[in-house]
Amino acid sequence: MTSTPDVLSCIQPTADLHVGNYFGAVANWVKLQQTHRCIYGIVDFHAITMPYDPVALRKNTRNMVIDLLACGVDPEKSILFVQSLVPEHCELCWILSSQCSFGDLSRMTQFKDKSQKLQSESGDDYISAGLFFYPVLQAADILAYRASYVPVGKDQEQHLELSRGIARRFNQRFNTDLFPEPKPLFTQTPRIMSLAQPESKMSKSAGPKHYVGLFEEEASIRKKIKSAVTDTGLPAAEETMSPGVANLFEILRACQADIAADQLQTDYQAGQLKYAQLKGAVGDALVALTEPFRRRRQALVGDEAMIDQQIRQLSEQARQIAADTLNRVRKLTGFPKSQP
Ligand code: AMP
Ligand code: TRP
């Protein structure tokens, strides 16, 4: 596929996906492949806007490619690329930066949140200009492929709105309809909560008790679910469900184990649910879901040189589309042609 895709989404190369990432993002990516032409990116240029380690970044990027392939992102159906292997993103980012105001960027709440967090956690006053510029690069990620739909979480709504504004301003300024205004796709995805602290979102940063890794071994998955926080004693029939129990039900339903979930819910309503039973069912469902992922991942890891070669090949397809967009952009904006 070298025509523009319908759907584009990107993820930062963090270490090892957890089941929250899977249900909240990756599962949706895999599903969208059945109905749309999709392009998915691993945005390693974005990852350097916060303090980072270069060796870990390269490793995480490679791992993220493997993880996404293992989860079912299918290079026969979709394009998968690594952002830093498509240099057109940076070129477009620079050109778009003049179609985006300083004031607009100053209003981005993610910048405010992340910079405050950096200051309070490390006591460091150093906030990179890259972190401030991050949303322009995100707009370039999307507009380089002229994608119409962008599946993202609600936290990205403001960045998407900014991308739409940049597309609109560019089209008006250069009297073109080159860029469609990208629309967010807020599909219903569950928000999976921490196992140890079910009031907060499942995330890796809180520590290993809080999450289940997508490629964890069976015994470890079961052990973590067994230790998940519920509440003390049997629930009374009318009481509202505690966040820990509700989260276990959420995971069970996300795994599409609806028959088991319905039965256990009936038991819960009758005040007869044993949490060990619920945890057993959740463990079974997660092991069944992730077993093929672990198997596929095993088959993919090992030969790093071969994987890197494959990543370059996959990214080359993306580059063809992005380069075509850039040629048109250069023509519209007054730059010499870079290709004959
Ligand atoms: P992050 O690395 O936290 O930015 O997450 C990458 C993707 O996974 C984003 O699309 C998030 O919305 C999604 N995600 C992360 N944590 C969770 C969670 N606990 N439940 C659902 N989705 C999540
Ligand atoms: N900012 C997004 C996030 O943190 C990641 C991202 C970068 C992205 N570029 C994108 C998402 C383009 C969608 C489209 O989740």
Side-chain angles (χ1 to χ4, degrees), residues 105 108-116 127-128 131-132:
L105 280 183
M108 294 294 116
T109 54
Q110 193 176 80
F111 171 72
K112 292 182 203 167
D113 292 347
K114 284 193 178 175
S115 49
Q116 266 166 21
I127 306 295
S128 75
L131 189 62
F132 185 71

Side-chain angles (χ1 to χ4, degrees), residues 40 42 49 55 89 112 117 126 146 170 173 178 204 209 233 236 247 263 268 275 290 295 307 309 339:
Y40 298 125
I42 297 162
T49 58
V55 176
H89 287 235
K112 292 182 203 167
K117 204 165 159 228
Y126 183 82
R146 289 168 274 154
F170 183 99
R173 169 69 183 79
L178 180 65
K204 292 256 310 289
K209 290 187 304 188
N247 190 37
Q263 181 57 53
Y268 175 85
Y275 291 148
T290 56
R295 208 165 5 92
I307 294 163
Q309 171 66 14
Q339 284 170 20

Side-chain angles (χ1 to χ4, degrees), residues 11 14 18 20-21 24-25 153 155 190-193 201-202:
I11 191 164
T14 46
H18 56 68
N21 299 132
D155 63 322
R191 190 159 181 256
I192 307 296
M193 309 308 277
K201 189 172 109 154
M202 178 178 284

Side-chain angles (χ1 to χ4, degrees), residues 1 32 40 83 185 198 200 213 265 275 287 302 334:
M1 174 178 83
L32 281 164
Y40 298 125
Q83 185 189 36
L185 263 190
S200 32
Q265 197 120 18
Y275 291 148
V287 167

Side-chain angles (χ1 to χ4, degrees), residues 19-39:
V19 297
N21 299 132
Y22 179 74
F23 292 125
V26 180
N28 195 31
W29 288 16
V30 173
K31 197 160 141 223
L32 281 164
Q33 299 181 118
Q34 293 166 8
T35 47
H36 295 77
R37 287 174 308 151
C38 303
I39 182 161

Side-chain angles (χ1 to χ4, degrees), residues 34-35 41-42 53 78 92 114 142 172 201 233 258 281 329:
Q34 293 166 8
T35 47
I42 297 162
D53 169 31
S78 312
L92 185 58
K114 284 193 178 175
I142 301 167
Q172 276 166 5
K201 189 172 109 154
D258 283 313
V329 167

